[in-house]
Amino acid sequence: MNIRLCELSFAYPNAQPLFDRVNLGIPLQGWLALTGDCGVGKTTLAKLIAGLLTPTAGAIQYENDDGTPAKWTIGYLFQNPDDQFVHFNLEREVAFNLENRGIHPTVARQAVQRVLHNTGLYERRNASPHDLSGGEKQKLAIADWLVSQPQILILDEPTAFLDIPARIELYQNIRELIEKGLRVIWITQDEYELAIADQVIELGQT
């Protein structure tokens, strides 16, 4: 998988451009850490890649390993997982994306149960998302996207609100998902997370 920025420019209204005619090839081969100082545009670039923002000019191209054009499903997890929860219990929350796509209820139910088992949340399926611990909320946020089987998962500083045990568990979960074929873009300034990533791109470097 490759992401290619082609003469990419982006500016928020009434602000100086964060990116001005950037050309960059980004190969994705597992766990990519995206880092840089505050305000350099890490989250903005991630949202552009995910399609949550539109470039002011230029384009983002997605390519298979052989260079042919690709179209991937990309999941985006916000720094605070509470920002993406919309339902009153875990089972309904995870089913939401499938319902929006018109998936048959029987197929959707099986997929939801499988993902809840895989993320260790099945026993809490009737709980409210807002009653979960910080680590469990991150698991649920990941489950929300895994049920749709994305090829790429973008996480925006996902350990910001987690204690050490919850961080370690999240690292293990992400590594297991990568071993199953998921590609991960992880926004971070944490030195340990930069050390365990497979690739690191630092924005703001000349």
Side-chain angles (χ1 to χ4, degrees), residues 12-202:
Y12 290 102
N14 303 315
Q16 293 294 316
L18 271 172
F19 304 107
D20 187 16
R21 297 183 180 179
V22 175
N23 290 286
L24 177 67
I26 305 173
L28 293 182
Q29 299 174 345
W31 184 327
L32 169 66
L34 187 61
T35 191
D37 293 336
C38 291
V40 77
K42 301 183 298 295
T43 294
T44 298
L45 178 57
K47 288 182 176 180
L48 286 164
I49 291 172
L52 299 178
L53 293 174
T54 301
T56 306
I60 298 179
Q61 297 177 354
Y62 309 94
E63 300 173 348
N64 295 310
D65 290 335
D66 62 2
T68 57
K71 184 177 182 180
W72 304 318
T73 302
I74 303 176
Y76 189 99
L77 274 66
F78 294 91
Q79 186 178 101
N80 185 350
D82 283 314
D83 292 343
Q84 72 181 63
F85 299 147
V86 297
H87 275 287
F88 56 87
N89 70 36
L90 273 64
E91 199 162 37
R92 295 286 301 124
E93 175 65 33
V94 177
F96 180 68
N97 279 342
L98 298 183
E99 292 173 350
N100 279 350
R101 292 164 51 197
I103 303 298
H104 190 279
T106 300
V107 176
R109 184 166 55 252
Q110 292 172 346
V112 168
Q113 291 179 352
R114 181 179 66 253
V115 168
L116 288 175
H117 276 295
N118 290 344
T119 53
L121 293 173
Y122 185 76
E123 297 302 322
R124 305 220 57 193
R125 63 191 181 279
N126 294 317
S128 167
H130 303 292
D131 291 337
L132 302 180
S133 68
E136 289 172 330
K137 287 179 179 180
Q138 286 293 8
K139 286 184 180 181
L140 178 59
I142 292 171
D144 275 352
W145 278 109
L146 289 183
V147 76
S148 300
Q149 298 182 313
Q151 287 79 38
I152 299 173
L153 194 60
I154 299 175
L155 301 97
D156 190 350
E157 300 194 47
T159 57
F161 301 104
L162 303 185
D163 58 20
I164 296 300
R167 288 184 178 208
I168 293 172
E169 187 175 8
L170 181 59
Y171 300 149
Q172 293 171 339
N173 290 340
I174 290 298
R175 184 56 70 185
E176 290 171 1
L177 293 171
I178 289 170
E179 290 174 355
K180 294 177 181 177
L182 184 69
R183 312 295 174 93
V184 169
I185 299 175
W186 183 292
I187 301 172
T188 184
Q189 296 186 73
D190 184 276
E191 291 185 4
Y192 177 76
E193 294 171 2
L194 296 176
I196 63 176
D198 300 317
Q199 307 163 259
V200 176
I201 291 180
E202 184 169 2

